[in-house]
Amino acid sequence: MNKRLLSLLIALMMVLSTVSISMAATGNDKVDWLIEKGLVTGYPDGTYGLERNITRAEVAAMVTRTLEQENVAATLQAISSRFTDMNLSNVLWARGYVNFVDGQGIVNGYPDGTFGPSRNITYAEIIKILVMVNGDIPDTTGYEGALWAVPYITKAVSVGITEGVTIPNDNYNGIATREKVFEMIYNTMIKKVVVEQEIYKGIVIENSRVAGLDSDEISFIVFQPGDNPPGANLRYKKDSQVKITLPANQDAETLLGKVVDVTIDKDNNAVKLTVDNSYTYYNGPIIASEDEITLKDGTKYDVYLEDRFTNSIDKIYAVYHNDKDYEYDDYVSALNRSNRTDDGRFVAEFVKATLKGGKTFFIDSFTFDDIAPVKEVKRNGDEVYVYDDTIAAGITEYNLDEIFAFTSQGFKSIALKDIKAKDVVHVYDDDRAIVRQDAVDEGEFDAVRVSSGYYYVEIDGERYQIRDTNFKRPVYSLDGSKFFTLLAVNSSTALNDLRNEDVSFLLDLNNHVQLISGDLEFSEKLVLLDNVGNRDISAIDASGAKTTYRTDNFSRFLFANSTAPRALGDFSRGDIAYLFNEGNLIDTLVRMDTASNIDTNAVKVAKTTRGAFDINLNNAWIRLESGVFEYTDTTNVFIVELEGSAITRLEATTMKKIVDSANPDSNLRAHIITERDFNNMNVGNEIRYGNATNVAHTIIFTDYVLDDQLLNDVTIQLEFNYNSGDDEIIGSDFDGKEVEYVVAGFANIPDLDAGDIVTLYLDDSDLVVDADVRITGSNRAYEVVDVYERSGRIQSITLDDDGEDVEYLVSRDLLIFGADDVRDRDDILFAVNEDDEIIVILVE
């Protein structure tokens, strides 16, 4: 349809339909089609006013505006009209419009020299307008006076403008109703639309990457005809495969696998294309079996090779792996066995899949040779350098041939020059790749978590898996300059220095971490040595953070007040030391005192007349039996406990915690290093302190006993493994809510496995100080024979013990995990208290 005709007809619709309100259909198919397209709207009274009329002046203005001649009309408004009634003051607004359409021969006047601006337009007059704008103007020679409309009516009939339109009594000079005008406008539009455009719903199954098409071409398979006008002759039926050319603003890679509503012209050019988002477009790994696929979250979707019914849309329409097309059966059975499970299913590393209603319609899957972060790009993408996952995280060059990109917005076509540093490339078939372009993110590194044999980094509370497959492992750097391969089994130690640090990280297509980088700088601090190894130490700083530091050939070891070189073996657990470090690398370590000396030199903390320890939190001083010492916000406070020569507790603490939690009946002692003492040690520090003899630089408490009355207990089921020495225990309570507890640095908690049910003992700061294991995976499961309840509470449970019924009483504090209740025939694991009452149940 030419632009002039379309715009004129739409403008006419606007004149005829000035009120926007949603209405019910009229029962007139032609009018209803215009309504559905939004070209006709209704009136506030609930009708479409199909019986109403339109004036000649309104039509003249509409035609002029449509032809974009308002400026001309404005000029012509000042010129007297040849129609006498157009020079009256009440219609001067329309005189310019009438002068214009009169001069164009689109609208004529009456024999008496008037135009009749307020007169309603007749059928003959609207027919002439539609014929004129249709561009096929008839010969009007010899048709004058009463016969002027004959050639226009004849032409309208021949080109279908009046097809199906009943003119009352064939009176073309009668006043036209809006309904009849709508029908003729429909006919005028649809004759062009039917010839030039068709609408289909279908699924895009080919583009240039997977088939021999041009970059602006796709092919789709027809699901069903779209919203075509009544009587349209369509070239394609269900299951027809149609190749079309896309407009410049459409991306063939974005559309692959999408279900679309597309309007095409007679040359198969896409005029309009929209994606049907009622379908799910899944991205991630799958397991493909004979007749279904399983997504990462365990959801299953059926795969049908044929439609189940004649008119249904059920089957899978295309399957690709690494850009090669497959029949689905071959896809499952013929691909590389290294990607297969023991029962013959195929594991696809990454997939674009189209899903709906439990059915699978499209699969585009990949197995990657390498997944790696981009370090730099040279020669406009001809040379792409990435971090490989050798131990030293070396650099590998790729010369890629075909690529496309992924972001959170989906997939898109890109050129080699669009690859940038900090992208993540997923290489397949040696020289092809998917490039994740929004891979980079930032956050605070929390910890490494382990569950069911998988390792995760936790950043800002979100967990990202650490892959442990050759060529797909991540790399890490503590300072952003030198990188190393991150081996999952060593990841907790490797990343320990980044705990609570801001990091940048890169994610691959499946949101597995591919790079994590910190920005640590050279620093110095006082630390309490928690462990000393052959090549590293574990140290607790004043904040309570426990960090592992490594040595190299340049690390220096000294004792305070001495320049004689020492070795790491001269240091022991419990030593107070001053550390100079760069990241997690030891530059210099200076021993200030040992645990034995601390215990020997500690002095009792004095008590008030009320029996409380004489520590004044408001005025910041502590009274020992040897004197009073002030402390500041920068004073380091630790606890060091010995039993004989064995160190039982090492902890950073605060003065407030000592006051709030120390058992007042204990003999708390403290060893104080004053500011003068510290300066006299001459450790080489750059951070400056005062030189007072009564101000504490460091306070080390010993003989600290926790007040038992402050302990609380909570029973949880672990979600992740806990390794002795970890800082946190993560699990869920009996309501299934995830909970996290920080472990006290001194606590001697054994290794715990994900799934274990444990009781944790918490101090007044909710730190875990001890734990009892209640149920583990090695516990035996028993079948419930009977559950006896009274007053809404379980009183006893009878279990099948190798064919013998054994009854157990149940504690009033019973906790149930894995279900809301216990029922007959359930299989349970359980734990009992000292009275042989069941206190915890895990329902399998």
Side-chain angles (χ1 to χ4, degrees):
M1 179 182 297
N2 63 65
K3 292 183 178 179
R4 175 179 171 180
L5 171 59
L6 180 60
S7 60
L8 183 57
L9 293 173
I10 291 175
L12 182 56
M13 291 296 94
M14 294 171 64
V15 171
L16 295 174
S17 324
T18 57
V19 180
S20 177
I21 184 169
S22 178
M23 300 291 176
T26 66
N28 184 319
D29 290 343
K30 295 180 179 181
V31 177
D32 289 345
W33 187 83
L34 294 173
I35 292 171
E36 187 175 343
K37 296 303 180 186
L39 298 176
V40 171
T41 53
Y43 288 94
D45 62 1
T47 70
Y48 284 91
L50 299 185
E51 75 288 352
R52 300 186 186 185
N53 313 117
I54 179 174
T55 68
R56 287 165 54 83
E58 289 173 331
V59 171
M62 174 270 296
V63 172
T64 305
R65 292 168 183 156
T66 300
L67 296 178
E68 299 180 348
Q69 298 298 318
E70 281 194 278
N71 289 338
V72 176
T75 301
L76 296 176
Q77 186 179 25
I79 300 174
S80 296
S81 173
R82 70 185 182 93
F83 305 116
T84 57
D85 54 354
M86 288 307 304
N87 296 315
L88 301 176
S89 60
N90 64 323
V91 292
L92 286 180
W93 68 269
R95 186 166 66 181
Y97 300 123
V98 173
N99 283 346
F100 175 76
V101 295
D102 177 36
Q104 296 293 314
I106 295 174
V107 177
N108 294 329
Y110 294 104
D112 62 358
T114 63
F115 179 76
S118 300
R119 295 176 63 174
N120 291 321
I121 202 164
T122 66
Y123 291 107
E125 289 165 345
I126 194 63
I127 286 172
K128 177 184 176 182
I129 291 174
L130 294 176
V131 169
M132 294 289 287
V133 298
N134 197 37
D136 194 4
I137 302 172
D139 183 3
T140 60
T141 304
Y143 293 93
E144 298 174 352
L147 300 177
W148 72 268
V150 170
Y152 297 105
I153 294 170
T154 302
K155 177 60 69 173
V157 171
S158 68
V159 299
I161 291 175
T162 59
E163 181 180 336
V165 181
T166 302
I167 306 299
N169 301 318
D170 291 328
N171 179 15
Y172 288 89
N173 291 320
I175 303 302
T177 64
R178 282 162 52 93
E179 181 174 24
K180 303 303 180 184
V181 171
F182 288 159
E183 290 176 348
M184 286 187 282
I185 289 174
Y186 170 87
N187 289 342
T188 306
M189 294 180 68
I190 218 59
K191 294 302 178 183
K192 294 287 185 181
V193 173
V194 170
V195 171
E196 296 180 358
Q197 296 183 359
E198 302 164 58
I199 305 174
Y200 299 94
K201 180 182 286 292
I203 185 168
V204 178
I205 64 161
E206 289 181 341
N207 64 6
S208 61
R209 174 166 62 85
V210 298
L213 302 179
D214 291 338
S215 60
D216 63 347
E217 292 180 330
I218 60 170
S219 71
F220 71 97
I221 291 180
V222 175
F223 279 0
Q224 61 192 30
D227 187 18
N228 293 282
N233 291 319
L234 303 179
R235 290 174 290 164
Y236 304 113
K237 298 180 180 179
K238 182 178 181 293
D239 289 337
S240 296
Q241 184 169 340
V242 184
K243 183 174 75 172
I244 63 174
T245 301
L246 297 172
N249 65 341
Q250 295 282 359
D251 187 337
E253 189 60 53
T254 300
L255 296 173
L256 186 65
K258 300 292 178 63
V259 176
V260 296
D261 293 291
V262 58
T263 302
I264 60 175
D265 64 18
K266 58 181 174 31
D267 297 320
N268 280 17
N269 296 309
V271 176
K272 180 181 179 182
L273 188 149
T274 58
V275 175
D276 185 343
N277 287 315
S278 67
Y279 287 77
T280 296
Y281 302 107
Y282 169 79
N283 298 317
I286 67 167
I287 299 176
S289 58
E290 181 179 356
D291 55 5
E292 67 181 12
I293 66 170
T294 304
L295 308 188
K296 183 178 181 179
D297 65 0
T299 305
K300 299 181 184 297
Y301 285 83
D302 292 327
V303 176
Y304 298 105
L305 304 183
E306 298 292 339
D307 290 332
R308 292 176 294 173
F309 306 101
T310 302
N311 295 321
S312 66
I313 301 172
D314 299 312
K315 67 184 179 183
I316 191 164
Y317 286 86
V319 180
Y320 300 99
H321 186 70
N322 287 4
D323 299 348
K324 179 182 177 182
D325 67 305
Y326 286 84
E327 294 294 332
Y328 182 79
D329 288 341
D330 294 337
Y331 175 76
V332 175
S333 63
L335 289 172
N336 192 323
R337 294 192 62 82
S338 66
N339 296 307
R340 294 166 61 82
T341 61
D342 292 338
D343 56 357
R345 299 176 296 164
F346 171 63
V347 178
E349 189 171 7
F350 181 78
V351 170
K352 298 165 57 180
T354 303
L355 313 165
K356 187 176 183 180
K359 294 170 289 190
T360 308
F361 298 96
F362 177 87
I363 292 174
D364 184 14
S365 72
F366 302 87
T367 299
F368 301 115
D369 305 319
D370 192 5
I371 303 176
V374 176
K375 181 180 186 294
E376 63 178 328
V377 181
K378 296 182 179 180
R379 298 180 57 207
N380 272 341
D382 287 338
E383 297 175 3
V384 178
Y385 296 89
V386 304
Y387 293 105
D388 66 21
D389 57 8
T390 60
I391 296 301
I395 306 301
T396 295
E397 177 187 348
Y398 278 110
N399 305 110
L400 300 173
D401 184 23
E402 294 188 27
I403 63 171
F404 65 105
F406 171 82
T407 70
S408 60
Q409 304 302 310
F411 294 88
K412 63 180 180 179
S413 302
I414 61 170
L416 289 174
K417 64 181 179 61
D418 297 321
I419 304 176
K420 305 295 182 187
K422 296 185 180 180
D423 288 347
V424 173
V425 294
H426 304 67
V427 180
Y428 63 98
D429 290 353
D430 296 327
D431 60 0
R432 300 184 176 198
I434 306 176
V435 181
R436 177 157 189 179
Q437 292 191 303
D438 63 346
V440 66
D441 204 345
E442 297 179 344
E444 183 177 297
F445 174 66
D446 301 323
V448 171
R449 308 293 186 198
V450 186
S451 181
S452 302
Y454 293 99
Y455 290 75
Y456 304 84
V457 294
E458 182 173 287
I459 301 172
D460 284 343
E462 297 291 329
R463 296 168 190 140
Y464 307 97
Q465 185 177 337
I466 303 170
R467 293 198 64 178
D468 201 22
T469 306
N470 288 339
F471 303 110
K472 295 164 187 177
R473 293 188 179 96
V475 298
Y476 76 98
S477 173
L478 300 180
D479 60 6
S481 59
K482 187 171 179 59
F483 284 82
F484 301 88
T485 294
L486 185 61
L487 302 176
V489 69
N490 298 327
S491 55
S492 183
T493 299
L495 299 178
N496 193 60
D497 286 330
L498 296 179
R499 292 288 295 270
N500 303 316
E501 295 285 342
D502 290 332
V503 296
S504 62
F505 58 101
L506 304 180
L507 301 176
D508 67 14
L509 292 173
N510 285 322
N511 282 334
H512 300 145
V513 66
Q514 272 294 308
L515 178 148
I516 181 169
S517 176
D519 189 23
L520 298 182
E521 297 179 358
F522 184 85
S523 62
E524 62 181 74
K525 60 179 76 70
L526 186 140
V527 296
L528 179 62
L529 299 190
D530 180 60
N531 190 33
V532 179
N534 292 327
R535 297 285 295 175
D536 57 22
I537 64 169
S538 175
I540 303 169
D541 64 27
S543 71
K546 185 187 297 184
T547 307
T548 299
Y549 298 94
R550 303 195 313 270
T551 66
D552 64 9
N553 293 333
F554 301 100
S555 297
R556 299 171 63 240
F557 303 97
L558 302 169
F559 288 172
N561 293 319
S562 172
T563 58
R566 300 286 180 169
L568 184 60
D570 294 325
F571 290 73
S572 301
R573 185 168 188 259
D575 286 353
I576 288 286
Y578 205 81
L579 171 69
F580 299 85
N581 66 292
E582 186 170 3
N584 69 338
L585 187 65
I586 297 173
D587 182 88
T588 303
L589 187 66
V590 183
R591 190 183 78 181
M592 297 168 55
D593 215 336
T594 65
S596 177
N597 286 339
I598 291 168
D599 185 66
T600 298
N601 295 323
V603 177
K604 281 187 178 182
V605 178
K607 294 185 179 181
T608 66
T609 55
R610 296 182 180 181
F613 294 115
D614 199 357
I615 300 173
N616 191 308
L617 297 178
N618 293 325
N619 296 316
W621 53 258
I622 177 173
R623 184 166 65 90
L624 306 184
E625 291 184 351
S626 60
V628 176
F629 298 86
E630 298 177 9
Y631 62 88
T632 70
D633 291 340
T634 62
T635 299
N636 306 285
V637 184
F638 296 98
I639 297 174
V640 175
E641 293 288 349
L642 286 83
E643 291 184 7
S645 60
I647 297 174
T648 58
R649 181 171 187 163
L650 299 174
E651 179 185 359
T653 188
T654 65
M655 298 300 285
K656 185 177 187 306
K657 181 176 178 181
I658 294 293
V659 170
D660 290 344
S661 63
N663 190 325
D665 295 329
S666 65
N667 293 312
L668 182 67
R669 298 186 298 143
H671 172 60
I672 293 180
I673 300 173
T674 67
E675 290 180 346
R676 172 74 62 84
D677 294 335
F678 176 75
N679 288 333
N680 288 341
M681 291 180 184
N682 194 26
V683 298
N685 59 294
E686 294 182 1
I687 301 174
R688 297 303 175 201
Y689 299 90
N691 200 36
T693 58
N694 65 333
V695 177
H697 174 276
T698 300
I699 303 175
I700 307 151
F701 289 98
T702 189
D703 292 338
Y704 169 82
V705 178
L706 180 69
D707 191 342
D708 290 341
Q709 296 182 5
L710 300 176
L711 290 181
N712 298 309
D713 65 87
V714 60
T715 301
I716 65 172
Q717 183 172 23
L718 267 63
E719 292 189 1
F720 297 90
N721 293 357
Y722 172 81
N723 297 318
S724 183
D726 285 353
D727 294 338
E728 291 179 301
I729 295 177
I730 301 176
S732 55
D733 62 20
F734 63 92
D735 287 328
K737 180 182 177 182
E738 182 174 293
V739 291
E740 298 183 14
Y741 293 96
V742 177
V743 179
F746 62 86
N748 186 24
I749 309 298
D751 291 351
L752 304 170
D753 294 327
D756 286 355
I757 293 178
V758 298
T759 297
L760 306 178
Y761 298 94
L762 313 176
D763 65 13
D764 60 330
S765 298
D766 281 341
L767 294 176
V768 179
V769 297
D770 203 356
D772 286 332
V773 179
R774 300 301 187 186
I775 298 174
T776 72
S778 62
N779 285 106
R780 175 184 169 187
Y782 293 83
E783 182 180 346
V784 176
V785 176
D786 182 62
V787 178
Y788 173 65
E789 294 186 10
R790 186 176 65 190
S791 301
R793 187 180 73 82
I794 298 176
Q795 303 289 325
S796 67
I797 297 176
T798 302
L799 304 176
D800 180 358
D801 187 356
D802 292 331
E804 180 179 355
D805 291 353
V806 178
E807 183 180 13
Y808 288 86
L809 297 177
V810 175
S811 167
R812 296 186 64 87
D813 300 322
L814 173 68
L815 296 176
I816 302 173
F817 291 82
D820 294 329
D821 204 352
V822 180
R823 298 176 177 82
D824 294 352
R825 302 181 65 84
D826 279 349
D827 289 327
I828 68 169
L829 291 77
F830 67 98
V832 299
N833 60 18
E834 61 272 18
D835 297 323
D836 239 14
E837 297 174 330
I838 294 178
I839 57 172
V840 181
I841 290 175
L842 173 61
V843 181
E844 290 194 324

